[in-house]
Amino acid sequence: MLKDKLGLVFGVANKRSIAWSIAQAWHQAGARLAFTYQGERLKANVEELVGTFGQDTPIYPCDVTRDEEILSVFENLKRDFGKLHLVLHSIAFAPREALEGRFVNTSREAFRIAHDVSAYSLLGIARAAQPLMTDGGSIVAMTYYGAEKVVPHYNVMGVAKASLEATVRYLAHDLGPDKIRVNAISAGPVNTLAARGISGFGEMLKYHADHAPLKRNVLPKELGDTGLYLASDMSSAVTGEVIYVDCGYNIMGM
Ligand code: NAP
């Protein structure tokens, strides 16, 4: 389904990362992929994981809060791949204290960091990707229901995800004439490194499973499958959307 497609994946920290589930689906469908990692701490982890895709899988360092690192990724990618069809943005961060206390106490700095890493980065990445997407492309970002409704403890991350979802729509409008589609997957809770930073995450998992129509939580493979749909021509008329993959949790009123 993705034969001859070239993709770039942001956000693999370890094998539990949602980015890894989607990257596996893209790889199995025939795409050739490159990955980024943030900081030397994660390099070995990412190298080991992506090594399973073969020796010709490039990995580049990228802290998305640094413009020069984003530009350097795309310069390297131009050298290694020449062009690009797919981008996965699976990155978010907020200072831990902002995910614990009352939302009203969120500091200016925590608000800035959450929005910079979790929302602005999609814009910076899309702008750098566009010149390489000469055949058109698909950009996929990860979001969560806390963008739309209040989820206790999700706090400033919910506000940053609302910004991310609006960014998806504005980018979809801007990049549509270049045949570049931009969509987000709103995933139900998954036990990952980032999720464990949210206080009460265990309770959140249980609550979702109890209240979702399907009476369970989403499986990583199911996020991979939706990522594959959004990357492939199966979704060729879909852009600017937020697609819920949450066992139906978001439809419930009570
Ligand atoms: P994860 O494995 O911890 O992935 C988060 C990634 O973001 C990590 O690779 C992390 O790298 C990276 N990151 C953070 N700050 C960065 C920066 N400044 N520059 C570059 N990379 C940075 O957790 P995940 O749950 O798979 O999260 C992936 C995406 O899915 C996020 O957007 C998250 O909000 C979204 N999502 C998750 C859930 C869930 O329940 N898990 C539900 C809905 C949506 P470091 O480890 O080095 O910081």
Side-chain angles (χ1 to χ4, degrees):
M1 225 192 242
L2 300 183
K3 196 173 165 294
D4 299 326
K5 300 284 187 202
L6 301 166
L8 176 61
V9 176
F10 290 83
V12 174
N14 55 41
K15 66 176 182 344
R16 287 172 184 260
S17 296
I18 291 172
W20 183 238
S21 303
I22 296 177
Q24 281 178 296
W26 286 6
H27 170 76
Q28 280 156 18
R32 185 172 170 216
L33 301 179
F35 291 80
T36 69
Y37 63 94
Q38 191 208 180
E40 288 304 306
R41 189 172 48 89
L42 285 181
K43 186 177 180 192
N45 244 356
V46 178
E47 254 171 0
E48 192 184 329
L49 278 177
V50 311
T52 60
F53 286 1
Q55 293 306 317
D56 61 343
T57 307
I59 67 167
Y60 316 116
C62 187
D63 174 345
V64 295
T65 61
R66 304 178 70 92
D67 285 341
E68 65 280 14
E69 292 196 19
I70 295 180
L71 288 181
S72 148
V73 166
F74 285 91
E75 274 163 18
N76 287 324
L77 196 74
K78 189 172 181 187
R79 182 198 61 213
D80 294 341
F81 281 3
K83 56 165 84 172
L84 185 64
H85 305 98
L86 312 172
V87 171
L88 176 63
H89 175 289
S90 187
I91 286 173
F93 177 77
R96 199 180 181 102
E97 71 276 8
L99 302 174
E100 284 171 353
R102 297 178 68 191
F103 173 66
V104 71
N105 291 331
T106 307
S107 67
R108 185 187 296 270
E109 186 59 0
F111 190 95
R112 185 191 67 73
I113 293 171
H115 284 72
D116 188 7
V117 177
S118 317
Y120 176 77
S121 58
L122 179 68
L123 177 51
I125 288 168
R127 184 167 59 242
Q130 182 201 10
L132 290 180
M133 290 185 148
T134 47
D135 307 333
S138 173
I139 299 175
V140 179
M142 295 305 306
T143 187
Y144 176 61
Y145 186 56
E148 212 182 303
K149 298 282 189 224
V150 174
V151 175
H153 306 302
Y154 202 61
N155 294 2
V156 71
M157 189 52 81
V159 184
K161 289 297 191 193
S163 169
L164 177 80
E165 292 182 7
T167 302
V168 163
R169 290 186 284 273
Y170 276 87
L171 284 173
H173 169 254
D174 237 17
L175 301 179
D178 302 314
K179 299 193 177 63
I180 299 172
R181 299 182 293 108
V182 188
N183 292 287
I185 297 173
S186 186
V190 181
N191 196 355
T192 63
L193 203 61
R196 272 177 262 143
I198 302 161
S199 83
F201 181 72
E203 273 167 65
M204 196 192 266
L205 270 177
K206 187 172 181 320
Y207 191 91
H208 267 256
D210 288 348
H211 293 85
L214 296 180
K215 297 290 168 227
R216 63 176 178 85
N217 282 308
V218 64
L219 302 171
K221 182 181 177 300
E222 293 170 323
L223 298 173
D225 289 345
T226 304
L228 177 56
Y229 160 73
L230 286 175
S232 77
D233 289 344
M234 299 287 283
S235 60
S236 53
V238 178
T239 194
E241 294 295 336
V242 174
I243 298 185
Y244 278 89
V245 184
D246 65 347
C247 299
Y249 180 88
N250 76 93
I251 66 165
M252 301 304 295
M254 193 177 149

